[in-house]
Coordinates of all heavy atoms in Angstrom, one line a residue:
M1 N 96.1 65.3 89.2 CA 95.8 66.7 89.7 C 95.0 66.6 91.0 O 94.2 65.7 91.3 CB 94.9 67.4 88.6 CG 94.5 68.8 89.0 SD 93.6 69.6 87.7 CE 92.9 70.9 88.6
T2 N 95.3 67.6 91.9 CA 94.6 67.6 93.2 C 93.2 68.1 93.0 O 92.9 68.8 92.2 CB 95.4 68.6 94.0 OG1 96.7 68.3 94.1 CG2 94.9 68.6 95.5
E3 N 92.3 67.5 93.9 CA 90.9 67.9 93.9 C 90.8 69.4 94.3 O 91.5 69.9 95.1 CB 90.1 67.0 94.8 CG 90.2 65.6 94.5 CD 89.2 65.2 93.4 OE1 88.1 65.8 93.3 OE2 89.6 64.3 92.5
W4 N 89.7 70.0 93.7 CA 89.4 71.3 94.2 C 88.8 71.2 95.6 O 88.3 70.2 96.0 CB 88.3 71.9 93.3 CG 88.8 72.4 92.0 CD1 89.3 71.6 91.0 CD2 88.7 73.6 91.5 NE1 89.7 72.4 90.0 CE2 89.3 73.6 90.1 CE3 88.2 74.9 91.9 CZ2 89.4 74.8 89.4 CZ3 88.3 76.0 91.1 CH2 88.9 76.0 89.9
I5 N 89.0 72.3 96.4 CA 88.6 72.3 97.8 C 87.2 72.9 97.9 O 87.0 74.0 97.5 CB 89.7 73.0 98.6 CG1 91.0 72.4 98.5 CG2 89.2 73.2 100.1 CD1 92.1 73.2 99.1
Q6 N 86.3 72.0 98.6 CA 85.0 72.6 98.8 C 84.9 73.6 99.9 O 85.4 73.4 101.0 CB 84.0 71.4 99.1 CG 82.6 71.8 99.2 CD 81.7 70.6 99.7 OE1 81.0 70.8 100.7 NE2 81.8 69.5 99.1
L7 N 84.3 74.7 99.6 CA 84.1 75.7 100.6 C 82.7 75.7 101.3 O 82.5 76.2 102.3 CB 84.2 77.1 100.0 CG 85.6 77.4 99.4 CD1 85.6 78.8 98.7 CD2 86.7 77.3 100.3
G8 N 81.7 75.1 100.5 CA 80.4 75.1 101.2 C 79.4 75.3 100.1 O 79.6 75.6 98.9
P9 N 78.0 75.3 100.5 CA 76.9 75.6 99.5 C 76.9 77.0 99.1 O 77.2 78.0 99.8 CB 75.7 75.1 100.3 CG 76.0 75.3 101.8 CD 77.6 75.0 101.9
V10 N 76.5 77.1 97.8 CA 76.5 78.5 97.2 C 75.5 79.4 98.0 O 75.5 80.6 98.1 CB 76.2 78.5 95.8 CG1 74.8 77.9 95.4 CG2 76.5 79.8 95.2
T11 N 74.4 78.6 98.5 CA 73.4 79.4 99.2 C 73.8 79.9 100.6 O 73.1 80.7 101.1 CB 72.1 78.4 99.5 OG1 72.7 77.3 100.2 CG2 71.5 78.1 98.2
A12 N 75.1 79.6 101.1 CA 75.6 80.2 102.3 C 76.1 81.6 102.1 O 76.3 82.3 103.0 CB 76.7 79.3 102.9
V13 N 76.3 82.0 100.8 CA 76.7 83.3 100.4 C 75.4 84.0 99.9 O 74.9 83.6 98.8 CB 77.7 83.3 99.4 CG1 78.2 84.8 99.1 CG2 78.9 82.4 99.9
P14 N 75.0 85.0 100.5 CA 73.7 85.8 100.1 C 73.9 86.4 98.7 O 75.0 86.8 98.4 CB 73.5 86.7 101.1 CG 74.7 87.0 101.8 CD 75.5 85.7 101.7
L15 N 72.8 86.4 98.0 CA 72.9 87.2 96.7 C 73.3 88.7 97.0 O 72.8 89.2 98.0 CB 71.6 87.2 96.0 CG 71.1 85.9 95.4 CD1 69.6 86.0 94.9 CD2 72.0 85.5 94.2
R16 N 74.2 89.2 96.2 CA 74.8 90.6 96.4 C 75.5 90.6 97.7 O 75.4 91.7 98.4 CB 73.8 91.6 96.2 CG 73.2 91.7 94.9 CD 72.1 92.9 94.6 NE 71.2 93.1 95.7 CZ 70.0 92.4 95.7 NH1 69.7 91.6 94.8 NH2 69.2 92.7 96.7
G17 N 76.1 89.6 98.2 CA 76.8 89.5 99.5 C 78.0 88.8 99.4 O 78.6 88.4 98.4
S18 N 78.5 88.4 100.6 CA 79.8 87.8 100.7 C 79.9 86.9 102.0 O 79.2 87.1 102.9 CB 81.0 88.7 100.6 OG 81.0 89.6 101.7
R19 N 80.9 86.1 102.1 CA 81.4 85.4 103.2 C 82.8 85.3 103.2 O 83.5 85.3 102.2 CB 80.7 84.0 103.3 CG 79.2 83.9 103.5 CD 78.8 84.3 104.9 NE 77.5 84.3 105.2 CZ 76.6 85.3 105.1 NH1 77.0 86.5 104.9 NH2 75.4 85.1 105.4
C20 N 83.4 85.1 104.4 CA 85.0 85.1 104.4 C 85.4 83.6 104.8 O 84.6 82.8 105.4 CB 85.5 85.9 105.6 SG 85.3 87.7 105.3
V21 N 86.5 83.2 104.1 CA 87.1 81.9 104.4 C 88.5 82.4 104.9 O 89.3 83.0 104.3 CB 87.4 81.2 103.0 CG1 88.0 79.9 103.3 CG2 86.0 80.9 102.4
N22 N 88.7 81.8 106.1 CA 90.1 82.0 106.8 C 91.0 81.0 106.3 O 90.6 79.8 106.3 CB 89.9 82.1 108.3 CG 89.1 83.3 108.8 OD1 89.3 84.4 108.3 ND2 88.2 83.0 109.7
T23 N 92.2 81.4 105.9 CA 93.3 80.5 105.6 C 94.5 80.7 106.4 O 94.5 81.9 107.1 CB 93.7 80.6 104.1 OG1 94.5 81.8 103.9 CG2 92.5 80.7 103.2
P24 N 95.5 79.9 106.5 CA 96.7 80.2 107.3 C 97.4 81.4 106.8 O 98.2 82.1 107.6 CB 97.5 79.0 107.0 CG 96.7 77.8 106.6 CD 95.5 78.5 106.0
S25 N 97.2 81.9 105.6 CA 97.9 83.1 105.1 C 97.1 84.3 104.9 O 97.5 85.3 104.5 CB 98.5 82.8 103.7 OG 99.4 81.6 103.8
G26 N 95.8 84.2 105.4 CA 94.9 85.4 105.3 C 93.4 85.0 105.0 O 93.1 83.9 104.8
T27 N 92.7 86.0 104.9 CA 91.3 85.8 104.7 C 90.9 86.1 103.2 O 91.3 87.1 102.6 CB 90.4 86.8 105.5 OG1 90.8 86.6 106.9 CG2 88.9 86.6 105.4
I28 N 90.1 85.2 102.6 CA 89.6 85.3 101.3 C 88.1 85.6 101.4 O 87.4 85.0 102.2 CB 89.8 83.9 100.5 CG1 91.2 83.7 100.3 CG2 89.1 84.1 99.1 CD1 91.5 82.3 99.7
A29 N 87.7 86.6 100.7 CA 86.3 87.0 100.6 C 85.6 86.2 99.3 O 86.2 86.4 98.3 CB 86.1 88.5 100.4
V30 N 84.5 85.6 99.6 CA 83.8 84.9 98.4 C 82.5 85.8 98.3 O 81.8 85.9 99.3 CB 83.5 83.4 98.8 CG1 82.7 82.8 97.8 CG2 84.8 82.6 99.1
F31 N 82.4 86.2 97.0 CA 81.2 87.0 96.7 C 80.2 86.3 95.7 O 80.6 85.4 95.0 CB 81.7 88.3 96.0 CG 82.6 89.1 96.8 CD1 84.0 89.0 96.7 CD2 82.1 90.2 97.6 CE1 84.8 89.8 97.5 CE2 82.9 90.9 98.3 CZ 84.3 90.8 98.3
R32 N 78.9 86.7 95.9 CA 77.9 86.1 95.0 C 77.1 87.3 94.5 O 76.6 88.1 95.3 CB 77.1 85.2 95.8 CG 76.0 84.5 95.0 CD 75.2 83.4 95.9 NE 74.0 82.9 95.2 CZ 73.0 82.5 95.9 NH1 73.1 82.5 97.2 NH2 71.9 82.0 95.2
T33 N 77.0 87.4 93.2 CA 76.4 88.5 92.6 C 74.8 88.3 92.5 O 74.4 87.1 92.7 CB 76.8 88.8 91.2 OG1 76.5 87.7 90.3 CG2 78.4 89.0 91.2
A34 N 74.1 89.3 92.1 CA 72.7 89.1 91.9 C 72.3 88.1 90.8 O 71.3 87.6 90.8 CB 72.0 90.5 91.6
E35 N 73.3 88.0 89.8 CA 73.1 87.0 88.8 C 73.6 85.7 89.1 O 73.8 84.8 88.3 CB 73.9 87.5 87.4 CG 73.2 88.8 86.8 CD 73.6 90.1 87.7 OE1 74.6 90.1 88.4 OE2 72.7 91.0 87.7
D36 N 73.9 85.4 90.4 CA 74.4 84.1 90.9 C 75.8 83.8 90.5 O 76.1 82.5 90.4 CB 73.3 83.0 90.5 CG 73.1 82.1 91.7 OD1 73.5 82.4 92.8 OD2 72.7 81.0 91.4
Q37 N 76.6 84.7 90.1 CA 78.0 84.4 89.8 C 78.8 84.4 91.2 O 78.5 85.2 92.0 CB 78.5 85.5 88.8 CG 78.0 85.4 87.5 CD 78.5 86.6 86.7 OE1 78.2 87.7 86.9 NE2 79.4 86.3 85.7
V38 N 79.9 83.6 91.2 CA 80.6 83.6 92.4 C 82.0 83.9 92.1 O 82.7 83.5 91.1 CB 80.6 82.2 93.0 CG1 81.5 82.0 94.3 CG2 79.1 81.8 93.4
F39 N 82.6 84.7 92.9 CA 84.1 85.2 92.8 C 84.8 85.2 94.1 O 84.2 85.2 95.2 CB 84.0 86.7 92.3 CG 83.4 86.9 90.9 CD1 82.1 87.3 90.9 CD2 84.1 86.7 89.8 CE1 81.5 87.5 89.6 CE2 83.5 87.0 88.6 CZ 82.2 87.3 88.5
A40 N 86.1 85.1 94.1 CA 86.8 85.2 95.3 C 88.1 86.0 95.2 O 88.7 86.1 94.1 CB 87.3 83.7 95.7
M41 N 88.3 86.8 96.2 CA 89.5 87.7 96.2 C 90.0 88.0 97.7 O 89.2 87.5 98.6 CB 89.2 89.0 95.6 CG 88.2 89.9 96.2 SD 87.8 91.5 95.5 CE 87.9 91.4 93.8
D42 N 91.2 88.5 97.9 CA 91.7 88.8 99.2 C 90.7 89.8 99.8 O 90.1 90.7 99.2 CB 93.0 89.6 99.0 CG 94.2 88.6 98.9 OD1 94.0 87.3 99.2 OD2 95.2 89.1 98.4
N43 N 90.5 89.6 101.1 CA 89.5 90.5 101.9 C 90.2 91.8 102.3 O 90.0 92.2 103.5 CB 88.9 89.7 103.0 CG 87.7 90.4 103.6 OD1 87.0 91.1 103.0 ND2 87.7 90.3 105.0
R44 N 91.1 92.4 101.5 CA 91.8 93.5 102.0 C 92.0 94.5 100.8 O 92.6 94.2 99.8 CB 93.1 93.1 102.5 CG 94.0 94.2 103.1 CD 95.2 93.7 103.7 NE 96.2 94.6 104.1 CZ 96.2 95.5 105.1 NH1 95.1 95.4 106.0 NH2 97.0 96.4 105.3
C45 N 91.4 95.7 101.0 CA 91.7 96.8 100.0 C 93.0 97.2 100.0 O 93.6 97.5 101.1 CB 90.6 97.9 100.3 SG 90.8 99.3 99.3
P46 N 93.7 97.4 98.9 CA 95.0 97.9 98.8 C 95.2 99.3 99.3 O 96.2 99.8 99.6 CB 95.4 97.7 97.4 CG 94.2 97.7 96.6 CD 93.1 97.1 97.6
H47 N 94.1 100.0 99.4 CA 94.2 101.5 99.7 C 94.4 101.7 101.1 O 95.5 102.3 101.5 CB 93.0 102.1 99.2 CG 92.8 103.6 99.6 ND1 91.6 104.1 100.3 CD2 93.6 104.6 99.5 CE1 91.9 105.4 100.6 NE2 93.0 105.7 100.0
K48 N 93.6 101.3 102.0 CA 93.7 101.4 103.5 C 93.4 100.1 104.2 O 93.2 100.2 105.4 CB 92.9 102.6 103.9 CG 93.2 103.9 103.4 CD 94.4 104.5 104.1 CE 94.5 106.0 103.6 NZ 95.6 106.7 104.3
G49 N 93.4 99.0 103.5 CA 93.2 97.7 104.2 C 91.7 97.4 104.6 O 91.5 96.6 105.5
G50 N 90.8 98.1 104.0 CA 89.4 97.9 104.3 C 89.0 96.5 104.0 O 89.4 95.8 103.1
P51 N 88.0 96.0 104.8 CA 87.5 94.6 104.6 C 86.5 94.6 103.4 O 85.3 94.9 103.6 CB 86.8 94.4 106.0 CG 86.3 95.7 106.5 CD 87.4 96.7 105.9
L52 N 86.9 94.1 102.3 CA 86.0 94.1 101.1 C 84.8 93.3 101.3 O 83.7 93.5 100.7 CB 86.9 93.6 100.0 CG 87.9 94.6 99.5 CD1 88.8 94.0 98.4 CD2 87.4 95.9 99.1
A53 N 84.8 92.2 102.1 CA 83.6 91.4 102.4 C 82.5 92.2 103.0 O 81.3 91.8 102.9 CB 84.0 90.2 103.3
E54 N 82.9 93.4 103.7 CA 81.8 94.2 104.2 C 81.4 95.2 103.2 O 80.5 96.2 103.5 CB 82.3 94.9 105.5 CG 82.7 93.8 106.5 CD 83.3 94.5 107.8 OE1 83.1 95.6 108.0 OE2 83.9 93.8 108.5
G55 N 81.8 95.3 102.0 CA 81.5 96.2 101.0 C 80.2 95.9 100.3 O 79.6 94.9 100.5
I56 N 79.7 96.8 99.4 CA 78.5 96.6 98.6 C 78.8 95.9 97.3 O 79.7 96.4 96.5 CB 77.8 98.0 98.3 CG1 77.6 98.6 99.7 CG2 76.7 97.8 97.4 CD1 77.1 100.1 99.6
V57 N 78.2 94.8 97.0 CA 78.3 94.1 95.7 C 77.3 94.7 94.8 O 76.1 94.7 95.0 CB 78.0 92.6 95.9 CG1 78.2 91.9 94.5 CG2 79.1 92.1 96.9
H58 N 77.8 95.2 93.6 CA 76.8 95.7 92.6 C 77.4 95.3 91.2 O 78.6 95.4 90.9 CB 76.8 97.2 92.6 CG 78.1 97.9 92.8 ND1 78.8 98.5 91.8 CD2 78.9 98.1 93.8 CE1 79.9 99.0 92.1 NE2 80.0 98.8 93.5
G59 N 76.6 94.6 90.4 CA 77.0 94.1 89.2 C 78.1 93.0 89.5 O 77.9 92.2 90.3
T60 N 79.3 93.2 88.8 CA 80.4 92.3 89.1 C 81.5 93.1 89.8 O 82.7 92.9 89.5 CB 80.8 91.5 87.8 OG1 81.2 92.5 86.8 CG2 79.8 90.6 87.3
S61 N 81.1 94.0 90.6 CA 82.0 94.8 91.4 C 81.7 94.9 92.9 O 80.6 94.6 93.2 CB 82.0 96.3 90.9 OG 82.3 96.3 89.5
V62 N 82.6 95.3 93.6 CA 82.5 95.5 95.1 C 83.1 96.8 95.4 O 84.1 97.2 94.9 CB 83.1 94.4 96.0 CG1 84.6 94.3 95.8 CG2 82.7 94.5 97.4
T63 N 82.4 97.5 96.3 CA 82.8 98.9 96.7 C 83.3 98.7 98.1 O 82.6 98.2 99.1 CB 81.7 99.9 96.7 OG1 81.3 100.1 95.3 CG2 82.2 101.3 97.2
C64 N 84.6 99.2 98.4 CA 85.2 99.1 99.7 C 84.4 99.9 100.6 O 84.0 101.0 100.4 CB 86.7 99.6 99.7 SG 87.4 99.5 101.3
P65 N 84.2 99.4 101.9 CA 83.3 100.1 102.8 C 84.0 101.4 103.5 O 83.4 102.2 104.1 CB 82.9 99.1 103.9 CG 84.0 98.1 103.8 CD 84.5 98.1 102.4
L66 N 85.3 101.4 103.4 CA 86.0 102.5 104.0 C 86.1 103.9 103.1 O 85.8 105.0 103.6 CB 87.5 102.2 104.3 CG 87.6 101.1 105.4 CD1 89.0 100.9 105.8 CD2 86.8 101.5 106.7
H67 N 86.4 103.7 101.9 CA 86.6 105.0 101.1 C 86.1 104.8 99.7 O 86.5 105.6 98.8 CB 88.2 105.3 101.0 CG 88.8 105.5 102.3 ND1 89.5 104.6 103.0 CD2 88.7 106.5 103.1 CE1 89.9 105.0 104.1 NE2 89.4 106.3 104.3
N68 N 85.2 103.9 99.5 CA 84.4 103.7 98.2 C 85.2 103.3 97.0 O 84.8 103.7 95.9 CB 83.5 105.0 98.0 CG 82.5 105.2 99.0 OD1 81.9 104.2 99.5 ND2 82.3 106.4 99.5
W69 N 86.4 102.7 97.1 CA 87.1 102.3 96.0 C 86.3 101.0 95.5 O 85.8 100.3 96.2 CB 88.5 101.8 96.4 CG 89.4 103.0 96.5 CD1 89.2 104.2 97.0 CD2 90.9 102.9 96.2 NE1 90.4 104.9 97.0 CE2 91.4 104.1 96.5 CE3 91.7 101.9 95.7 CZ2 92.8 104.4 96.3 CZ3 93.1 102.2 95.5 CH2 93.6 103.5 95.8
V70 N 86.2 101.0 94.1 CA 85.4 99.9 93.5 C 86.5 99.0 92.8 O 87.4 99.4 92.1 CB 84.5 100.6 92.4 CG1 83.7 99.5 91.7 CG2 83.5 101.5 93.1
F71 N 86.2 97.7 93.0 CA 87.1 96.6 92.4 C 86.1 95.6 91.5 O 85.1 95.3 92.0 CB 87.8 95.8 93.5 CG 88.7 96.7 94.2 CD1 88.3 97.4 95.3 CD2 90.0 96.9 93.8 CE1 89.2 98.2 96.1 CE2 90.9 97.7 94.5 CZ 90.5 98.3 95.6
D72 N 86.8 95.3 90.3 CA 86.1 94.3 89.5 C 86.3 93.0 90.2 O 87.5 92.6 90.5 CB 86.8 94.3 88.2 CG 86.1 93.4 87.2 OD1 86.4 92.2 87.3 OD2 85.4 93.8 86.4
L73 N 85.2 92.3 90.4 CA 85.4 90.9 91.1 C 86.1 89.9 90.3 O 86.7 89.0 90.9 CB 83.9 90.4 91.5 CG 83.2 91.2 92.5 CD1 81.7 90.7 92.6 CD2 83.9 91.1 93.9
A74 N 86.0 90.0 89.0 CA 86.6 89.0 88.0 C 88.2 89.2 88.0 O 89.0 88.3 88.0 CB 86.1 88.9 86.7
T75 N 88.6 90.4 87.8 CA 90.0 90.8 87.7 C 90.8 91.3 88.9 O 92.0 91.3 89.0 CB 90.2 91.9 86.6 OG1 89.6 93.1 87.1 CG2 89.5 91.4 85.3
G76 N 90.0 91.9 89.8 CA 90.6 92.5 91.1 C 91.1 93.9 90.8 O 91.6 94.6 91.7
Q77 N 90.9 94.4 89.5 CA 91.5 95.7 89.2 C 90.5 96.8 89.8 O 89.3 96.7 89.8 CB 91.5 95.9 87.7 CG 92.6 95.0 87.1 CD 94.0 95.5 87.6 OE1 94.4 96.6 87.6 NE2 94.7 94.4 88.0
A78 N 91.1 97.9 90.3 CA 90.4 99.1 90.7 C 89.8 99.7 89.5 O 90.3 99.7 88.4 CB 91.4 100.0 91.4
Q79 N 88.6 100.3 89.7 CA 87.9 100.9 88.6 C 87.9 102.4 88.8 O 88.1 103.0 89.8 CB 86.4 100.4 88.6 CG 86.2 98.9 88.6 CD 86.8 98.3 87.3 OE1 86.2 98.5 86.2 NE2 87.9 97.5 87.5
G80 N 87.6 103.0 87.6 CA 87.5 104.6 87.7 C 88.9 105.1 87.8 O 89.9 104.6 87.3
A81 N 89.0 106.3 88.6 CA 90.3 107.0 88.8 C 91.2 106.3 89.8 O 92.3 106.6 89.9 CB 89.9 108.4 89.2
D82 N 90.7 105.3 90.5 CA 91.5 104.5 91.6 C 92.5 103.7 90.9 O 92.2 103.1 89.8 CB 90.6 103.8 92.5 CG 89.6 104.8 93.2 OD1 90.0 105.9 93.6 OD2 88.5 104.3 93.4
E83 N 93.7 103.4 91.4 CA 94.6 102.5 90.9 C 95.0 101.5 91.9 O 95.1 101.7 93.1 CB 96.0 103.3 90.6 CG 95.7 104.3 89.5 CD 97.0 105.0 89.1 OE1 98.1 104.7 89.5 OE2 96.9 106.0 88.3
G84 N 95.3 100.2 91.5 CA 95.7 99.1 92.3 C 94.8 98.0 91.9 O 94.0 98.0 91.1
S85 N 95.1 96.9 92.6 CA 94.3 95.6 92.4 C 94.3 94.7 93.6 O 95.2 95.0 94.6 CB 95.0 94.9 91.2 OG 96.2 94.4 91.5
V86 N 93.4 93.8 93.6 CA 93.3 92.9 94.7 C 93.5 91.5 94.1 O 93.0 91.3 93.0 CB 91.8 93.0 95.3 CG1 91.7 91.9 96.5 CG2 91.7 94.3 95.9
R87 N 94.2 90.6 94.8 CA 94.4 89.3 94.3 C 93.1 88.5 94.2 O 92.4 88.5 95.1 CB 95.5 88.6 95.1 CG 95.8 87.2 94.7 CD 96.9 86.6 95.6 NE 97.2 85.3 95.1 CZ 98.1 84.5 95.6 NH1 98.7 84.9 96.8 NH2 98.3 83.3 95.2
T88 N 92.9 87.9 93.0 CA 91.6 87.1 92.9 C 92.0 85.6 92.9 O 93.2 85.3 92.7 CB 90.9 87.5 91.6 OG1 91.8 87.2 90.5 CG2 90.4 88.9 91.5
Y89 N 91.0 84.7 93.0 CA 91.2 83.3 93.1 C 90.3 82.6 92.2 O 89.0 83.0 92.3 CB 91.1 82.8 94.6 CG 92.2 83.5 95.5 CD1 91.7 84.6 96.2 CD2 93.4 83.2 95.5 CE1 92.6 85.3 97.1 CE2 94.3 83.8 96.3 CZ 94.0 84.9 97.1 OH 94.9 85.6 97.8
P90 N 90.7 81.5 91.6 CA 89.7 80.7 90.7 C 88.8 80.0 91.7 O 89.1 79.2 92.6 CB 90.6 79.8 90.0 CG 92.0 80.0 90.4 CD 92.0 81.0 91.4
V91 N 87.5 80.2 91.4 CA 86.4 79.3 92.1 C 85.4 78.8 91.0 O 85.4 79.3 90.0 CB 85.6 80.2 93.1 CG1 86.5 80.6 94.2 CG2 85.1 81.4 92.5
K92 N 84.8 77.8 91.4 CA 83.7 77.2 90.6 C 82.6 76.7 91.4 O 82.7 76.5 92.6 CB 84.2 76.0 89.7 CG 84.7 74.8 90.5 CD 85.2 73.7 89.5 CE 85.6 72.5 90.3 NZ 86.1 71.4 89.4
V93 N 81.4 76.6 90.7 CA 80.3 76.0 91.4 C 79.7 74.9 90.6 O 79.6 74.9 89.5 CB 79.1 77.1 91.4 CG1 77.8 76.5 92.1 CG2 79.5 78.4 92.2
E94 N 79.6 73.7 91.4 CA 79.1 72.5 90.8 C 78.1 71.9 91.8 O 78.4 71.7 93.0 CB 80.3 71.5 90.6 CG 81.2 71.8 89.4 CD 82.2 70.8 89.2 OE1 82.5 69.8 90.1 OE2 83.0 70.9 88.2
D95 N 77.0 71.5 91.3 CA 75.9 70.9 92.1 C 75.6 71.7 93.3 O 75.4 71.2 94.4 CB 76.3 69.4 92.4 CG 76.4 68.6 91.2 OD1 75.7 68.7 90.3 OD2 77.4 67.8 91.2
G96 N 75.6 73.1 93.2 CA 75.3 73.9 94.3 C 76.4 74.2 95.3 O 76.1 74.7 96.4
L97 N 77.5 73.7 95.1 CA 78.6 73.8 96.0 C 79.8 74.6 95.4 O 80.1 74.6 94.2 CB 79.3 72.4 96.4 CG 78.3 71.4 97.1 CD1 78.9 70.1 97.2 CD2 77.9 72.1 98.4
I98 N 80.5 75.5 96.3 CA 81.5 76.4 95.8 C 82.7 75.6 96.1 O 83.0 75.0 97.2 CB 81.4 77.6 96.5 CG1 80.2 78.4 96.4 CG2 82.7 78.6 96.2 CD1 80.1 79.7 97.3
Y99 N 83.7 75.7 95.1 CA 85.0 75.2 95.2 C 86.1 76.1 94.8 O 85.8 77.0 94.0 CB 85.1 74.0 94.2 CG 84.3 72.7 94.5 CD1 83.0 72.6 94.0 CD2 84.7 71.7 95.3 CE1 82.1 71.6 94.3 CE2 83.9 70.7 95.5 CZ 82.6 70.6 95.0 OH 81.8 69.4 95.3
I100 N 87.2 76.0 95.5 CA 88.4 76.8 95.2 C 89.5 76.1 94.8 O 89.7 74.9 95.2 CB 88.8 77.8 96.4 CG1 89.7 78.8 96.0 CG2 89.3 77.0 97.6 CD1 89.9 79.9 97.1
A101 N 90.3 76.5 93.8 CA 91.4 75.8 93.3 C 92.4 75.4 94.4 O 92.8 76.4 95.2 CB 92.1 76.5 92.2
P102 N 92.9 74.3 94.5 CA 93.8 73.8 95.6 C 95.1 74.5 95.6 O 95.8 74.9 96.6 CB 93.9 72.3 95.5 CG 93.6 72.1 94.1 CD 92.6 73.1 93.7
D103 N 95.6 74.8 94.4 CA 96.9 75.4 94.2 C 96.9 76.9 94.8 O 97.9 77.4 95.2 CB 97.4 75.5 92.7 CG 96.4 76.1 91.8 OD1 95.2 76.1 92.1 OD2 96.8 76.7 90.9
V104 N 95.8 77.4 94.9 CA 95.6 78.8 95.4 C 96.0 78.8 96.9 O 96.9 79.6 97.4 CB 94.1 79.3 95.4 CG1 93.9 80.5 96.3 CG2 93.8 79.6 93.9
L105 N 95.5 77.9 97.7 CA 95.8 77.8 99.1 C 97.2 77.3 99.4 O 97.9 77.8 100.3 CB 94.7 76.8 99.8 CG 93.3 77.3 99.7 CD1 92.5 76.4 100.4 CD2 93.1 78.7 100.3
M106 N 97.7 76.5 98.4 CA 99.1 76.0 98.6 C 100.1 77.2 98.3 O 101.0 77.4 99.0 CB 99.3 74.8 97.6 CG 98.7 73.6 98.1 SD 99.1 72.3 96.9 CE 97.5 71.4 96.9
S107 N 99.8 77.9 97.3 CA 100.7 79.1 96.9 C 100.6 80.2 98.0 O 101.5 80.8 98.3 CB 100.3 79.6 95.6 OG 99.0 80.3 95.6
M108 N 99.5 80.4 98.6 CA 99.3 81.3 99.8 C 100.2 80.8 101.0 O 100.8 81.8 101.5 CB 97.8 81.4 100.2 CG 97.0 82.2 99.3 SD 95.3 82.3 99.9 CE 95.5 83.5 101.2
A109 N 100.1 79.6 101.2 CA 100.9 79.1 102.3 C 102.5 79.2 102.1 O 103.2 79.4 103.1 CB 100.6 77.6 102.6
A110 N 102.9 79.2 100.9 CA 104.3 79.3 100.6 C 104.7 80.7 100.7 O 105.9 81.0 100.7 CB 104.5 78.8 99.1
E111 N 103.8 81.6 100.6 CA 104.2 83.1 100.7 C 104.7 83.5 102.0 O 104.4 83.1 103.0 CB 103.1 84.0 100.2 CG 102.8 83.8 98.7 CD 101.6 84.6 98.2 OE1 101.0 85.4 99.1 OE2 101.4 84.6 97.0

């Protein structure tokens, strides 16, 4: 099995904030909740293409900065009356470092 890819220290992502990771196939937003959970998803709202990394993180959700659509960070599903989803990616934190599954980046490159 291929090694997970290190993205950097968890402390590089502020609590209730995010950072972007640029890949050949697009930008992934990495989020950190107030409870120190880490999630990753495409940095593009399916509604109007808003940059989700610039949104507000609350609980395990993020609100798009353009039109206030709310997405579950774990599933990528829109919440409330909104419909749609954002692609999520498996991440893990070990010894204070964030890792993303290598097959994620490989599958993105194949698209």
